[in-house]
Amino acid sequence: MAQELQHRQPDSAPSSAFEFATKAVHAGEEVDLREGATGEVVTAIHLATTYARKKVAKPERYEYVRLQNPTREALEVKLASLENARYGLAFSSGMAAETSLLLTLLKSGDHIVAFDDLYGGTKRLFEQVFANFGVEASYVDATNAQLVERALKPSTKMVWIESPTNPLLKLADIRAIAAITQKRGLILVVDNTFLSPYLQRPLDLGADVVVHSVTKYLGGHSDVLGGALLVNSEPLYERLQFHQNSTGAVLPPFDSYLTLRGLKTLALRMEQHGKNALAIARYLEKHPKVSRVFYPGLESHPQHALAKSQASGFGGVLSFDVKGTMADAENFLERLKLFTLAESLGGVESLIELPSLMTHASVEKAEREKVGITDTLIRVSVGIEGVADLIADLEQALA
Ligand code: P1T
């Protein structure tokens, strides 16, 4: 392991003085004008799986692609810089990042306290994969930090939240929960997929680990599957890197390149996603066929003040309940022309879906109903198209 850690990333602190949009373009991709370097302004896609060495016992800078790859490293440095983290690790999917994190930190008998509204795949990972290895999870309404504290057991090692949650856009007070976990030496994990570091940086609010599905806003164009972990603690980074290499679910070079490319416009995209989402949320709120709209940017959202205090915007995802039955909701979805009926979120194009039959079908119906995922709940990932066109499409399908 000692040898592997020679390849630790450089501290990303030097670029932290720059504004977010500057780091999004340049961090991790400083142009190399030294003697013999190409001076290329775009990071190359390095495809070699292995690297030559001069000495048997000592590798040069690179060794083997699972351990390190220059394209992936550029991305890891950029991601760390954007999240104000010291270290970043890029994985082959969001689920791979989550799996690697759980394998690194937990063992049989350990307990997780998790938000009761989470991406269905994360709950499935806890309940149908890690439960088989003796890791237990319990779920609480983490909109109330006291309920998180009350759910802690002597065996609790980790608190896991999304904020805002998928799909109900509930928020957790990250500072308040971090105060609870720090007092007890527990790990606070925040899945920051919905807002991206442009709008929220959980490590600055006291979290220990940030998780991302890179597949969403970070990639931004619905053409990359990826995940990431961001941390400040050096010992934790070393353990995560050891597990990443030992288990092997690293982000491939081409996907690392696509993510580097996508990240350069993250600031612009998030601005437009947010503007469009707010306009659509306001439109839906007034529509007679819509019973409820969930979007933290609306004054009617019960945690609108908290949203403003811990994030600089509200993101591009919203959800709403249509009046009527599941069949009415399906009917509406199938009549849309501009919105694409599909899972996932965070791309430039608008996507729409029915969580109870799609992204959250793996969550038991009783449990879905307990948290508020009704059969008529619709989730929208608002893209960056012209918002009048999007509203016109909703209008014709709701009519
Ligand atoms: O799909 P993958 O890159 O493995 O990421 C999993 C994941 C993790 N965390 C959150 C908050 C997510 O939303 C996801 C993936 N979500 C979807 C595919 C979806 O449509 O909600």
Side-chain angles (χ1 to χ4, degrees):
M1 180 164 164
Q3 194 178 61
E4 290 162 16
L5 293 176
Q6 290 170 7
H7 303 289
R8 192 181 296 145
Q9 287 166 20
D11 205 312
S12 63
S15 52
S16 65
F18 290 108
E19 286 182 53
F20 187 95
T22 308
K23 297 197 287 183
V25 174
H26 294 288
E29 302 193 84
E30 286 81 7
V31 176
D32 189 352
L33 281 172
R34 285 172 304 183
E35 189 75 35
T38 61
E40 60 192 5
V41 299
V42 173
T43 298
I45 306 172
H46 292 271
L47 292 173
T49 53
T50 192
Y51 295 84
R53 60 173 84 193
K54 289 181 190 141
K55 295 284 178 199
V56 174
K58 189 176 166 294
E60 307 295 321
R61 170 76 179 85
Y62 294 98
E63 204 173 336
Y64 183 67
V65 62
R66 177 161 25 76
L67 190 53
Q68 350 82 350
N69 165 270
T71 317
R72 193 176 86 228
E73 273 182 3
L75 172 64
E76 289 174 337
V77 170
K78 193 189 290 288
L79 287 172
S81 173
L82 296 181
E83 278 286 359
N84 276 349
R86 289 184 66 204
Y87 304 104
L89 294 142
F91 293 84
S92 56
S93 70
M95 297 319 301
E98 294 185 13
T99 300
S100 204
L101 176 64
L102 294 168
L103 287 171
T104 302
L105 290 174
L106 303 182
K107 58 182 189 330
S108 179
D110 288 344
H111 174 245
I112 308 169
V113 173
F115 210 142
D116 61 7
D117 188 31
L118 283 182
Y119 169 55
T122 301
K123 246 187 199 172
R124 181 176 57 198
L125 183 69
F126 293 162
E127 294 304 304
Q128 296 181 47
V129 179
F130 277 88
N132 297 332
F133 295 92
V135 172
E136 188 204 356
S138 43
Y139 303 92
V140 295
D141 176 2
T143 59
N144 180 349
Q146 284 176 352
L147 295 182
V148 172
E149 187 159 31
R150 259 183 252 157
L152 300 176
K153 302 183 188 185
S155 58
T156 306
K157 292 282 153 55
M158 180 183 278
V159 172
W160 188 297
I161 56 175
E162 290 174 9
S163 186
T165 59
N166 182 356
L168 285 163
L169 288 303
K170 295 179 189 175
L171 305 187
D173 184 336
I174 298 171
R175 288 188 192 91
I177 295 176
I180 294 165
T181 53
Q182 281 168 4
K183 207 165 57 190
R184 291 175 171 76
L186 308 177
I187 298 277
L188 174 59
V189 180
V190 178
D191 183 331
N192 201 28
T193 298
F194 266 40
L195 289 186
S196 89
Y198 181 64
L199 298 176
Q200 176 172 272
R201 287 178 291 280
L203 296 177
D204 291 349
L205 301 169
D208 300 290
V209 182
V210 165
V211 175
H212 274 287
S213 170
V214 164
T215 319
K216 309 301 180 320
Y217 290 105
L218 303 184
H221 298 74
S222 303
D223 55 8
V224 179
L225 177 69
L229 299 176
L230 292 310
V231 298
N232 280 328
S233 153
E234 184 171 341
L236 177 55
Y237 170 66
E238 289 177 355
R239 288 174 66 198
L240 288 169
Q241 202 219 24
F242 174 78
H243 275 82
Q244 185 192 39
N245 179 51
S246 302
T247 56
V250 293
L251 191 67
F254 186 65
D255 304 83
S256 298
Y257 163 77
L258 282 176
T259 309
L260 282 167
R261 181 181 166 105
L263 281 171
K264 290 174 192 179
T265 55
L266 181 66
L268 295 171
R269 287 188 283 108
M270 293 313 294
E271 285 292 332
Q272 197 59 38
H273 283 297
K275 276 185 200 151
N276 284 0
L278 185 61
I280 289 175
R282 291 205 198 289
Y283 160 79
L284 289 169
E285 208 171 30
K286 291 200 201 88
H287 201 285
K289 289 193 179 157
V290 172
S291 55
R292 289 182 307 173
V293 180
F294 305 92
Y295 183 64
L298 289 174
E299 291 74 15
S300 60
H301 190 285
Q303 296 169 294
H304 180 61
L306 175 61
K308 286 198 286 191
S309 83
Q310 66 184 13
S312 57
F314 314 106
V317 181
L318 59 90
S319 55
F320 64 99
D321 249 321
V322 284
K323 290 181 185 164
T325 63
M326 184 188 259
D328 294 321
E330 288 177 66
N331 219 338
F332 159 70
L333 289 169
E334 289 166 9
R335 279 158 58 159
L336 288 160
K337 297 192 171 90
L338 193 50
F339 283 83
T340 302
L341 176 55
E343 299 196 8
S344 202
L345 58 103
V348 292
E349 66 289 299
S350 293
L351 302 179
I352 197 158
E353 63 117 7
L354 195 69
S356 60
L357 289 184
M358 295 172 67
T359 50
H360 291 69
S362 64
V363 180
E364 299 270 333
K365 186 172 165 69
E367 227 181 290
R368 284 201 306 264
E369 280 173 359
K370 208 174 89 190
V371 296
I373 305 173
T374 63
D375 287 348
T376 50
L377 183 80
I378 286 164
R379 189 190 76 185
V380 192
S381 171
V382 180
I384 62 167
E385 302 96 330
V387 74
D389 293 332
L390 294 174
I391 289 175
D393 194 30
L394 294 169
E395 182 75 18
Q396 65 79 22
L398 281 166

